[in-house]
Amino acid sequence: MKIRKAILSDAKGIAKVQVDSWRTTYHGILPEDFLNSLSYEQQEQKWLRIIPQYHVFVAENPEGEIIGFASGGKNRFEEYGNYPGELYAIYILKDYQRVGIGKLLVKAIADELVRQSMNSMIVLVLEENPSRYFYEALGAKLIARREDTIGGKKLTELVYGWDDIRNLKV
């Protein structure tokens, strides 16, 4: 697998991974009508705006297809201000999960944040998402819970934090 910084022409592949991953990861967690309403085209337009502004990395399979991505940057939440960085998103197609790609993507974001003197970071994950254990395995600790509404459903998000991402467990 190859991990590299995303470029604008990756927006379509990132959008496909995001929509497909949401539909598998959040099946039974988010309303089906919401998941079915997700659009590759709308997500592609969103990623065309995000890629130039934030840190975005993609994972490619040997055929050069995007099979995962991660994005991150400055922490968006004042209440967790002692964690200057944030892992905004990480998604990997179901067939490529549990083989180490996620660790490589998190490390790519962490390394980029460290280069900008952000030595700690947070990530928000839905409480019902089993991927939360992935963050715990990487050394993150639960620091807060918060409520959010996605697709019209009230959900609990867990806020995990790494005090020092320079020594990330990967």
Side-chain angles (χ1 to χ4, degrees), residues 3 26 37 58 67 69 71 100 106-107 119 142 150 156 159:
I3 307 294
Y26 300 127
S37 75
V58 296
I67 50 91
F69 73 90
S71 66
V106 171
K107 178 139 179 42
N119 294 328
L142 181 63
I150 302 173
T156 300
V159 183

Side-chain angles (χ1 to χ4, degrees), residues 7-59:
I7 56 175
L8 281 177
S9 60
D10 293 327
K12 187 174 191 162
I14 292 170
K16 181 170 181 5
V17 168
Q18 183 176 23
V19 170
D20 292 351
S21 294
W22 272 57
R23 289 180 177 157
T24 57
T25 302
Y26 300 127
H27 175 77
I29 298 173
L30 294 176
E32 286 302 306
D33 59 338
F34 172 75
L35 293 174
N36 291 333
S37 75
L38 296 174
S39 156
Y40 295 128
E41 293 78 17
Q42 285 177 334
Q43 293 305 312
E44 181 180 358
Q45 291 307 308
K46 181 180 102 173
W47 285 104
L48 286 170
R49 291 188 305 273
I50 292 172
I51 291 169
Q53 294 180 26
Y54 300 100
H55 306 299
V56 182
F57 289 86
V58 296

